[in-house]
Amino acid sequence: MKNKDVVLSGIRATGSLHLGNYLGAMKFFAQLSQDGTKDCFFFIANLHTLTTKTDPEDIKRDLKEIVLDYVSIGIDPNVATIFAQSSVPETCELNWLLGCLASMGDLERMPHFKDKKDKKEAKREMVNAGLLTYPVLMAADILGPQANLVPVGEDQYPHVELTRELARRFNTIYGETFPVPDLLSGEAIRVPGLDGTEKMGKSDYNTIDLSDSSDVVRKKMAKAMTDPSRKKRSDPGNPSVCNVYALHTLISSGEELKEVLDGCKVAGIGCVDCKNIIAKNITNILMPIQQKRAELAAKGPDLPLEILHEGGKRARRTISVTVNEVKDKMGVPSY
Ligand code: TRP
Ligand code: SF4
């Protein structure tokens, strides 16, 4: 058994990243990689992206953007391994091998699959097989580098549970091979959307992008939904039903947070001022990230590909050892 923790997480390459990705997951990834006690793998799940996207140019562009985002939020590519899923063909081999241990019924019962299937069928679109086997590829992602800690959001818990099941099943049939990975919910938090919905990122109207300028942040916040029953400045508000306040609790602190909370309840503060405070605090988070990104951009357009190339080699070296062992144990070595 390994003595060093191995952390792995991935993000699907679909569009640019937003404050919800940052506060909900990536900030935590950066912290995990910075404490020096863990081997960290952070990858871009561009093969998973193919289950929902078909434009090759889009997929390539998003991939590079995410690499720069990863680095600008504080993941050092010399410390953590940043790579593209598609750089490691061994993961696809492992996907097949694990697929032969996965139960069709389990896959069909995955909430993510059922949801996607229903939506596709409602639009009379094809339900591709990749959507069904999505969690098997995820298990291959996790078990390939023998990760024992997986930081993911709530929506991914069933997938990690299936991964655990496959690891146990493999170990039972073929002998102790994989650590059964644990969820690392850590500080995973849900970041509410600006339009009053419960999650940032569902649509363009409800997100703050990591690249938004202070002006854009202010304008987006100005349009954000507040407590709908607070119609006039003189009406007291109810922070517990206001997403702007929910954002405050994630971002603001101390006296400022208390002033917003108490002020809102007695109409001591207006929504305009309340939103200006949060806009300022959001900009304070985004500024260093954007600065770092500008520095990276100044190093030229090849940087993301260089990072992926190095990371891909490193990831492949680790993962191919596992996959060779698995193939041997299953009686299908490369001859
Ligand atoms: N399915 C994950 C998501 O949509 C991304 C992902 C793919 C992942 N493979 C993974 C996350 C392995 C953690 C571990 O966010
Ligand atoms: Fe929401 Fe702030 Fe307005 Fe209160 S003052 S309703 S917390 S935006």
Side-chain angles (χ1 to χ4, degrees), residues 221 224-228 230 235-246 248 260-261 263-265 269-275 278:
M221 283 316 306
M225 269 276 277
T226 60
D227 170 2
R230 189 175 187 197
D235 294 338
N238 179 2
S240 64
V241 300
C242 177
N243 272 5
V244 175
Y245 181 71
H248 265 296
V260 168
L261 179 67
C264 174
K265 286 186 198 156
I269 183 171
C271 294
V272 174
D273 289 334
C274 176
K275 287 172 161 187
I278 191 89

Side-chain angles (χ1 to χ4, degrees), residues 8-12 43 45 48 85 112 134 137-139 141-142 150-152 155-156 159-160:
L8 173 133
S9 197
I11 197 159
R12 237 155 21 101
F43 71 101
H48 278 115
Q85 195 177 28
H112 178 264
Y134 187 109
L137 181 57
M138 226 175 119
D141 292 330
I142 297 169
V150 188
V152 283
D155 58 330
Q156 299 297 318
H159 295 159
V160 178

